[in-house]
């Protein structure tokens, strides 16, 4: 997975998967936002592979405590799950709670035993660092997972340019990355970053339930990405 660009339809309700099939390559299942997420996984019989995310509250999600790792460990053992998102701060041991690192690395080991790809993620809800810092972050994230994901907040067009530049440099250096800017000034990066090497895009199945600022509707992002990359819309 992630050899080519993957458009993930984000949802907390796996019964929405049929609505995503025409446009998405995978479903990002937001376990931290879902009702009975383990039950949903147990009964999932959809066509699209799953990227499971149980986002920690300290990185913008709604999952509290270390119990989120138990749910993710159960998830990666399921055949439908092709990838799991793990916060870079936990994998690198930079979170104040040292237990985060041991749980995160154990989850990564379990995922790899199951042939499940690991997305090591970083989210900055306040700003976009300088390009050199972005490249370093992407290299760190890519070294800890199969894909290094970096979502920052753009407050000006220069932030979007910095992200695109870092995406290109990291890709040329051989790192597999996924990048985007949150916020209106960087919204277009969600469509443009794949041109520079970004491997994952995210869009909500239901536009009213966007999980991050600036997300495009699923069908819109599919069309934009395909056209900018030189393919037919929906290809």
């Amino acid at each position: 997975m992630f050899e080519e660009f993957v458009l993930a339809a984000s949802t907390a309700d796996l019964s929405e998967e049929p609505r995503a099939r025409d446009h998405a390559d995978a479903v990002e299942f937001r376990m931290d936002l879902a009702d009975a997420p383990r039950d949903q996984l147990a009964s999932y019989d959809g066509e699209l592979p799953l990227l499971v995310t149980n986002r920690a509250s300290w990185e913008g999600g709604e999952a509290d405590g270390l119990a989120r790792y138990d749910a993710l460990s159960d998830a990666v053992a399921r055949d439908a799950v092709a990838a799991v998102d793990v916060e870079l701060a936990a994998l690198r041991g930079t979170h104040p709670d040292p237990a985060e690192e041991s749980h995160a690395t154990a989850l990564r080991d379990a995922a790899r035993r199951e042939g499940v790809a690991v997305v090591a993620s970083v989210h900055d809800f306040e700003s976009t660092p300088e390009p050199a810092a972005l490249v370093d972050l992407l290299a760190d994230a890519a070294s800890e997972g199969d894909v290094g994901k970096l979502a920052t907040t753009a407050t000006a067009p220069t932030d979007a340019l910095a992200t695109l530049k870092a995406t290109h440099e990291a890709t040329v250096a051989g790192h597999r990355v996924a990048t985007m800017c949150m916020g209106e000034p960087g919204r277009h990066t969600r469509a443009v970053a794949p041109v520079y090497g970004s491997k994952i895009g995210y869009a909500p199945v239901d536009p009213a339930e966007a999980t991050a600022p600036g997300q495009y509707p699923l069908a819109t992002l599919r069309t934009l990405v395909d056209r900018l990359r030189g393919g037919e819309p929906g290809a």
Side-chain angles (χ1 to χ4, degrees):
M1 197 176 189
F2 308 124
E3 293 293 333
E4 300 293 335
F5 174 77
V6 171
L7 177 53
S10 296
T11 185
D13 182 355
L14 288 179
S15 70
E16 293 186 329
E17 184 266 352
R19 295 172 56 193
R21 291 176 190 170
D22 287 345
H23 306 294
D25 304 305
V27 168
E28 184 200 27
F29 182 38
R30 285 295 302 264
M31 298 179 70
D32 57 306
L33 305 177
D35 293 327
R38 286 179 167 179
D39 291 342
Q40 289 196 50
L41 282 169
S43 61
Y44 180 69
D45 61 356
E47 297 178 2
L48 295 174
L50 302 179
L51 161 58
V52 290
T53 300
N54 203 6
R55 180 74 62 225
S57 57
W58 48 264
E59 190 133 343
E62 295 190 9
D64 290 315
L66 298 173
R68 74 180 187 281
Y69 291 109
D70 295 332
L72 287 170
S73 295
D74 178 61
V76 299
R78 299 193 175 276
D79 290 342
V81 174
V84 59
D85 185 297
V86 188
E87 293 83 6
L88 177 63
L91 287 168
R92 290 231 124 184
T94 57
H95 187 275
D97 183 355
E100 287 281 350
E101 182 179 10
S102 61
H103 282 71
T105 54
L107 173 62
R108 179 177 58 193
D109 292 344
R112 288 181 168 163
R113 286 194 298 270
E114 297 291 342
V116 171
V118 176
V119 178
S121 60
V122 181
H123 298 78
D124 187 330
F125 293 96
E126 296 182 357
S127 64
T128 296
E130 293 298 314
L134 293 174
V135 172
D136 288 344
L137 273 173
L138 287 171
D140 288 346
S143 71
E144 295 289 348
D146 299 290
V147 180
K149 175 191 173 185
L150 177 58
T152 66
T153 299
T155 59
T158 52
D159 293 330
L161 288 173
T163 293
L164 296 175
K165 177 178 173 62
T167 304
H168 175 69
E169 291 188 8
T171 299
V172 169
H175 304 303
R176 192 176 299 169
V177 300
T179 60
M180 63 223 65
C181 285
M182 298 177 284
E184 195 60 35
R187 190 184 196 202
H188 63 284
T189 62
R190 295 179 179 273
V192 177
V195 176
Y196 295 93
S198 179
K199 295 298 187 184
I200 314 174
Y202 297 82
V205 175
D206 183 345
E209 297 180 359
T211 56
Q215 285 185 330
Y216 287 104
L218 180 60
T220 300
L221 186 56
R222 174 89 273 170
T223 298
L224 289 171
V225 169
D226 287 351
R227 287 180 175 172
L228 287 169
R229 296 174 74 230
E232 293 298 324

